[in-house]
Amino acid sequence: MMEFSADDHRFMAQAIRLARRGLYGTDPNPRVGCVLVREGRVVGEGWHQKAGGPHAEIHALDDAGISHARGATAYISLEPCSHHGRTPPCSEALIRAGVARVVAAMEDPNPQVAGRGLAQLAEAGIEVASGLMADAARALNPGYIKRMQCGRPWVRSKLAMSLDGRTALASGESKWITGAAAREDVHRLRARSSVILTGVGTVLADDPSLSVRLPDMPEDQRQPWRVVLDTHLSMPPTAKMLALPGRTLVMTCCEEEGLAEPLRRAGAEVILMPSCNGAVDPAAVLDYLGQQEANEVMLEMGATLSGSFLRQGLVDEICIYMAAVLMGHEARPLFHLPGIDSMEKKLALDITDIRRVGEDWRISARPVKAA
C-alpha cells in the first residue's frame, strides 16, 4: 500500500477544499481542485469553475507561472484528463509544465480516462500516486461517479417533516414546517443538482418555482432543469415554473398532441416516456437523464411518488429536514410504502450525517441495499 506523508495529506485536503468551490458551477463535469507545491510551499492553486472553462490544473499552472511549476508536485482531487473534450488534456499540460510529481486522490471513472491520465504522466517520467483521501474526493462527486459507472444520476430525495414524521396537514397545507435557515439550505442542495424532479400532483397543489434562490447567488447562477412527471398531461400551461428562466421538461406517457401543444407553447419540453403500471416509468426517467449528462437529481415530490422511487431502489440518499413540531396522526406521511406488514419488511437506512440547521435538524441517510 502506498504511503503518504503528513504534508501530502495537508496539501490534498487543500485541493479538496478548493474543489468544493465549484460545487454549483461545474455540471456536468466533476468538481476538481489542484494545488502545486514546490519545496514545501504552495506556488499555485486552482479549481474547475465552470463546464467548458479551464480545468483545475490549468488554473493552478497559470497561478504558479512557468518557473514555479517546473519541478513542483501537483495535488489533484481527481486524475487529470487525458482526452480532448471541451478543453485539451490536462495530462499534457502538466507534462509540458515540467512538474515532477502528481498525486491524485482517485482515478477518474470516466471510461475515456480511467487510469490513462496517470499512465501518460508516468510514461513521461513523472512520479505518480493515487488513492490519497479518496473517500473525501468521492464525496464531492457522487453523481458524476455514478453516471460514469452506471449511466444514471445520483438521486437525492429531499423532504421536510415534523418530529412525528409528517410532511403536510391532511388538507395539504405545508408552509412552512421548517424555518428560514433550513429552506436556504434546501436551495443550496438545489444549486448543486442537475435536475429537480417532481410530480404533477405537487405542481397542481403548490405551483412551485423549483428554482435556486439564494441571497449570495451570482447573476449567472446555473439553474437546474425542472422535470415534471405528468402521466396524463394535466399540468396547466399557466404553471409558474414555465415562465421562469431555464429548462422545464414534462415527461409523460400520454400521446395526445392536443394536450402537449399548449405546454410546448408555454415553454415546456414535452417528452414521451415508457410507462410502468400505468404511469411514467421512474427507472426510464433516470436512464434518460443519465444520457443527458445529469449528475445529481433532487426529488421534491409527494409521498406516493417518492415512495415509488424508494420501493424501486432508485433513491441513493434521503435528506430530511426535521422541525421540532408535532402535526398529528391525520397529517400526511413521508413516504407511501404499502405492504410493510411485518418488521422483516422494514426498509433499513444508514444515517450518514445529522446536523442542526437554524432551529431544525438535517438528517442524511442512505437506503441499505439488499445483499
Side-chain angles (χ1 to χ4, degrees):
M1 185 175 180
M2 194 168 295
E3 292 187 5
F4 297 100
S5 69
D7 276 348
D8 288 335
H9 282 83
R10 178 163 62 95
F11 293 128
M12 183 60 77
Q14 186 170 344
I16 290 171
R17 285 194 297 271
L18 286 168
R20 287 191 61 83
R21 297 190 186 183
L23 198 62
Y24 305 142
T26 67
D27 204 71
N29 292 351
R31 299 118 184 179
V32 183
C34 177
V35 174
L36 289 173
V37 177
R38 185 173 172 183
E39 298 177 353
R41 184 175 66 88
V42 174
V43 295
E45 60 181 29
W47 67 95
H48 186 37
Q49 300 172 17
K50 188 176 182 180
H55 289 187
E57 298 92 325
I58 306 305
H59 282 298
L61 290 170
D62 288 345
D63 187 39
I66 296 174
S67 60
H68 290 109
R70 186 164 298 278
T73 295
Y75 295 89
I76 314 169
S77 61
L78 185 70
E79 175 186 10
C81 64
S82 56
H83 66 291
H84 284 268
R86 297 185 188 181
T87 58
C90 291
S91 56
E92 293 181 4
L94 291 166
I95 293 169
R96 286 195 304 272
V99 300
R101 180 177 179 235
V102 171
V103 182
M106 60 175 288
E107 288 190 2
D108 191 335
N110 185 340
Q112 293 181 293
V113 185
R116 293 183 183 88
L118 293 174
Q120 189 178 39
L121 294 170
E123 288 169 5
I126 296 172
E127 180 185 347
V128 299
S130 67
L132 175 60
M133 301 182 68
D135 287 345
R138 280 192 288 268
L140 278 171
N141 293 297
Y144 174 80
I145 293 169
K146 185 183 177 188
R147 179 168 65 84
M148 289 299 167
Q149 292 177 338
C150 308
R152 285 182 178 173
W154 182 267
V155 178
R156 181 180 293 113
S157 180
K158 187 279 299 180
L159 306 110
M161 74 173 191
S162 60
L163 200 58
D164 51 350
R166 302 292 165 167
T167 63
L169 298 177
S171 64
E173 182 183 353
S174 62
K175 294 182 179 179
W176 296 102
I177 296 173
T178 55
R183 295 197 296 275
E184 181 174 321
D185 199 60
V186 168
H187 280 275
R188 298 196 184 280
L189 282 184
R190 285 182 178 180
R192 67 174 290 167
S193 301
S194 313
V195 170
I196 303 172
L197 182 58
T198 193
V200 71
T202 298
V203 176
L204 294 173
D206 299 335
D207 194 18
S209 298
L210 299 185
S211 59
V212 178
R213 303 181 300 278
L214 290 167
D216 55 350
M217 188 173 77
E219 290 184 4
D220 61 346
Q221 170 68 47
R222 176 190 59 82
Q223 289 289 341
W225 298 356
R226 299 172 289 268
V227 175
V228 180
L229 304 191
D230 185 0
T231 298
H232 304 295
L233 286 180
S234 53
M235 179 173 172
T238 55
K240 186 189 302 179
M241 67 177 71
L242 294 176
L244 297 175
R247 296 178 69 184
T248 299
L249 285 66
V250 178
M251 295 190 169
T252 184
C253 40
C254 174
E255 298 186 44
E256 295 187 31
E257 276 299 313
L259 297 176
E261 188 54 34
L263 290 170
R264 290 196 180 99
R265 286 199 301 267
E269 301 173 44
V270 181
I271 301 171
L272 190 63
M273 298 296 295
S275 63
C276 178
N277 298 322
V280 176
D281 183 359
V285 168
L286 296 181
D287 287 337
Y288 177 88
L289 293 175
Q291 293 164 7
Q292 300 299 307
E293 298 187 309
N295 287 336
E296 297 181 22
V297 170
M298 185 166 166
L299 306 185
E300 296 198 36
M301 51 184 53
T304 300
L305 193 52
S306 58
S308 177
F309 272 81
L310 188 59
R311 287 197 311 275
Q312 294 183 51
L314 302 176
V315 175
D316 298 296
E317 181 181 2
I318 299 171
C319 193
I320 298 173
Y321 293 85
M322 183 175 68
V325 298
L326 300 174
M327 294 171 63
H329 71 282
E330 294 182 349
R332 299 181 182 182
L334 276 176
F335 296 100
H336 178 65
L337 297 171
I340 301 181
D341 52 12
S342 67
M343 290 301 288
E344 288 76 19
K345 295 180 181 178
K346 66 183 183 294
L347 299 182
L349 301 176
D350 176 23
I351 294 178
T352 57
D353 185 72
I354 300 178
R355 67 184 62 202
R356 186 161 186 158
V357 182
E359 296 301 312
D360 306 305
W361 291 87
R362 188 182 75 194
I363 304 170
S364 298
R366 297 183 182 180
V368 177
K369 306 294 184 182

